[in-house]
């Protein structure tokens, strides 16, 4: 497969999942932000923006600026609109590989952004619309794209971004811990019913955190997402050796996953920020390693002239 096609598919997966995760985070925190005093609202908005990997441009940064930065700014890949636009652009570049259904879904979603501006539908309805559209895109990717290398790169990007976004979702609870229940956090991840069926009578902060972090059967848990990424990397590069791993990305993802699965603690809540930072760092490093291995071939192919 051409490296540019593989790279486009990888980033389609990442950008669609980023839009989905950002919509979930905004949806669960927006009501709480609306009821804060102005000064506290600005402080929390800036901290929440930092959790999402961006930085406020001024001390006057508040809720309107946060919504623009995370929802409506088409020029920023951090925002929902920017992520969906970037996903559509990558699908255009890989048009000969993506299915017609996937392309049309991304294209329709991109042009639908104009009908779902804040002044038209409001941020709540915008986030719900985004969740519906990203679910449709993911479903079409799974059912209309052959599960060959193309699909593996798309799922690899989606899985890494999902692990990162769930980690950020858990990190945001520290920002808005007052009045933010784990019930809302579970609903944010679409995990509430699955959690109740799994835990039944056992319910508490630590149980909810364990579910979103460590559950091996729930698709949005961090361990599940890292396992999916590991499986994709193994299928993309099935070569094996008797000692260690040649693939740096697989080593990074595997280390992060096994640390979480085998780490024992009596106080997960106090260690949660450290775990989230470790997951986000692992995702960033794995993404860089994937880019070096599969995408950045220009330097290797460049003609350097004859040796005199």
């Amino acid at each position: 497969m051409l490296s540019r096609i593989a790279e486009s598919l990888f980033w389609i997966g990442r950008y669609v999942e980023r839009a989905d995760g950002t919509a979930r985070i905004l949806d669960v925190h927006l009501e709480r932000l609306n009821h804060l005093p102005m000064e506290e609202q600005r402080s929390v908005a800036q901290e929440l923006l930092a959790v999402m990997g961006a930085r406020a441009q001024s001390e006057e940064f508040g809720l309107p600026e946060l919504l623009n930065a995370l929802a409506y700014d088409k020029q920023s890949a951090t925002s929902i609109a920017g992520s969906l636009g970037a996903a559509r652009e990558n699908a255009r570049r890989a048009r000969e590989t993506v299915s017609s259904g996937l392309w049309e879904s991304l294209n329709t979603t991109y042009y639908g952004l104009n009908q779902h501006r804040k002044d038209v539908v409001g941020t709540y309805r915008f986030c719900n619309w985004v969740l519906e559209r990203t679910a449709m895109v993911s479903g079409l990717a799974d059912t209309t794209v052959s599960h060959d290398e193309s699909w593996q790169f798309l799922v690899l990007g989606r899985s890494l971004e999902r692990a990162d976004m769930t980690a950020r979702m858990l990190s945001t609870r520290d920002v808005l811990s007052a009045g933010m229940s784990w019930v809302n956090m579970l609903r944010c991840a679409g995990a509430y019913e699955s959690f109740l069926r799994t835990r039944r009578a056992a319910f508490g902060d630590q149980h909810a955190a364990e579910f979103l972090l460590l559950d091996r059967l729930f698709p949005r848990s961090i361990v599940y997402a890292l396992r999916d990424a590991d499986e994709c990397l193994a299928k993309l590069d099935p070569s094996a050796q008797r000692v260690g791993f040649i693939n740096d990305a697989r080593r990074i993802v595997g280390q992060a996953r096994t640390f979480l699965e085998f780490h024992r603690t009596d106080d997960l809540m106090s260690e949660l920020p450290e775990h989230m930072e470790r997951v986000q760092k692992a995702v960033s490093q794995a993404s860089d390693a994937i880019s070096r291995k599969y995408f950045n071939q220009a330097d290797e192919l460049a003609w350097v002239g004859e040796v005199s």
Side-chain angles (χ1 to χ4, degrees), residues 142-156:
D142 288 347
T143 57
T144 66
V145 177
S146 295
H147 286 203
D148 52 13
E149 284 188 345
S150 304
W151 186 77
Q152 296 294 344
F153 276 110
L154 193 149
V155 174
L156 176 58

Side-chain angles (χ1 to χ4, degrees), residues 7-149:
E7 185 173 16
S8 291
L9 291 164
F10 175 79
W11 283 104
I12 290 171
R14 289 205 66 169
Y15 282 130
V16 171
E17 189 62 31
R18 185 175 301 175
D20 181 275
T22 305
R24 291 177 183 276
I25 290 170
L26 274 179
D27 185 56
V28 77
H29 288 301
L30 197 53
E31 183 176 359
R32 172 65 179 165
L33 272 167
N34 274 325
H35 290 87
L36 292 176
M38 185 60 68
E39 287 302 317
E40 189 176 354
Q41 189 180 91
R42 287 176 179 169
S43 174
V44 172
Q46 292 174 26
E47 291 175 5
L48 186 55
L49 185 69
V51 169
M52 298 303 293
R55 183 175 298 178
Q57 299 298 316
S58 70
E59 294 183 358
E60 298 301 313
F61 189 94
L63 182 56
E65 291 78 14
L66 178 72
L67 296 180
N68 181 65
L70 294 185
Y72 303 109
D73 186 359
K74 291 185 178 181
Q75 306 304 316
S76 171
T78 304
S79 77
I80 295 170
S83 294
L84 292 174
R88 185 250 187 193
E89 178 62 20
N90 277 280
R92 187 186 63 79
R93 293 174 183 171
R95 186 65 189 87
E96 66 269 35
T97 301
V98 301
S99 67
S100 295
L102 179 56
W103 161 252
E104 289 169 5
S105 180
L106 285 168
N107 199 41
T108 301
T109 302
Y110 174 74
Y111 284 108
L113 291 171
N114 290 330
Q115 282 74 49
H116 290 81
R117 302 190 312 270
K118 182 182 178 182
D119 60 325
V120 177
V121 300
T123 304
Y124 287 112
R125 288 183 60 187
F126 175 72
C127 289
N128 289 330
W129 175 78
V130 169
L131 294 179
E132 292 175 359
R133 296 303 304 182
T134 53
M136 180 181 292
V137 170
S138 295
L140 286 167
D142 288 347
T143 57
T144 66
V145 177
S146 295
H147 286 203
D148 52 13
E149 284 188 345

Side-chain angles (χ1 to χ4, degrees), residues 156 229-238 247 249-250 253 290 294:
L156 176 58
D230 188 36
E231 291 177 355
C232 288
L233 288 167
K235 291 175 181 177
L236 287 168
D237 185 10
N247 192 321
R250 193 176 177 196
V253 170
I290 291 165
Y294 294 107

